């Protein structure tokens, strides 16, 4: 299918509201919270666990702090992930937004079964990716720094490389 055919088919089936109601709103919210929490908490967790700033840590301490920072992250994103999946699978158009989806999940499956189904798998995925990202980031910064002089460009490129590397290694858990 060409992109225009796919978009037209989606709009024909779900209408323009489908871009928000078929899981996109939940996914954008989930991804935003996920990144905010993990990147905000990792330095704080490092300081709390190791008694020194993240900048003075080694790759292992940075990776462990990143992995630990995923616990509150996954507690937060699990309901959003389950709402997203329910909306994506809603071929009968029963749900009218995230609040309606959450109400259905908790009513039919309970809070834990409806909003935290798959928690262990999500925790593994986030823990491996985030821990690995912070574990390897300095390695990638060193490699990139040899050929790129701009600190901003070094951060962007090395962050992309660490994210892509651990994303590829992490695919088996998703």
């Amino acid at each position: 299918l060409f992109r225009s055919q796919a978009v037209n088919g989606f709009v024909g089936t779900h209408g323009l509201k489908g871009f928000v109601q078929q899981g996109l709103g939940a996914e954008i919210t989930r991804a935003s919270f996920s990144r905010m929490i993990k990147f905000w908490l990792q330095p704080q967790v490092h300081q709390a666990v190791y008694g020194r700033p993240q900048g003075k840590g080694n790759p292992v301490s940075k990776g462990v702090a990143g992995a630990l920072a995923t616990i509150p992250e996954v507690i937060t994103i699990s309901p959003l992930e389950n709402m997203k999946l329910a909306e994506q699978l809603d071929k009968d158009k029963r749900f009218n937004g995230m609040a309606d989806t959450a109400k259905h999940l908790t009513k039919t499956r309970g809070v834990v079964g409806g909003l935290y189904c798959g928690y262990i798998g999500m925790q593994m995925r986030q823990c491996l990716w985030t821990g690995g990202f912070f574990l390897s980031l300095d390695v990638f910064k060193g490699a990139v720094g040899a050929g790129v002089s701009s600190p901003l460009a070094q951060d962007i490129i090395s962050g992309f490389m660490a994210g892509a590397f651990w994303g590829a290694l992490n695919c088996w858990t998703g």
Side-chain angles (χ1 to χ4, degrees), residues 4-165:
S4 62
Q5 290 174 313
V7 171
N8 288 340
F10 182 87
V11 171
T13 301
H14 303 288
L16 290 175
K17 291 190 328 184
F19 286 109
V20 176
Q21 291 179 332
Q22 291 305 122
L24 184 61
E27 175 60 15
I28 290 171
T29 305
R30 183 208 62 81
S32 299
F33 275 108
S34 175
R35 277 135 187 100
M36 286 187 306
I37 292 168
K38 81 173 74 198
F39 288 108
W40 177 68
L41 278 182
Q42 189 272 348
Q44 294 183 50
V45 170
H46 192 282
Q47 179 70 44
V49 171
Y50 296 102
R52 63 183 185 271
Q54 188 243 182
K56 294 186 178 185
N58 61 47
V60 173
S61 69
K62 292 175 183 182
V64 169
L68 291 172
T70 66
I71 295 168
E73 171 195 3
V74 178
I75 289 169
T76 303
I77 69 167
S78 183
L80 296 164
E81 183 80 17
N82 282 295
M83 285 185 272
K84 173 192 80 171
L85 292 172
E87 289 176 359
Q88 288 174 337
L89 297 172
D90 181 24
K91 65 179 183 285
D92 298 327
K93 301 181 195 175
R94 293 178 299 178
F95 307 133
N96 190 20
M98 291 180 0
D100 189 43
T101 307
K103 183 179 174 183
H104 169 78
L105 290 174
T106 56
K107 183 179 178 184
T108 59
R109 299 178 186 173
V111 173
V112 174
L115 301 180
Y116 289 94
C117 180
Y119 175 87
I120 298 298
M122 282 183 262
Q123 187 63 63
M124 284 177 46
R125 178 188 71 200
Q126 295 304 103
C127 185
L128 290 170
W129 186 91
T130 305
F133 175 87
F134 285 108
L135 174 85
S136 65
L137 185 58
D138 287 344
V139 173
F140 285 108
K141 281 185 178 181
V144 170
V148 177
S149 60
S150 166
L152 178 61
Q154 288 175 2
D155 285 348
I156 292 169
I157 295 168
S158 61
F160 174 80
M161 291 172 72
F165 179 72

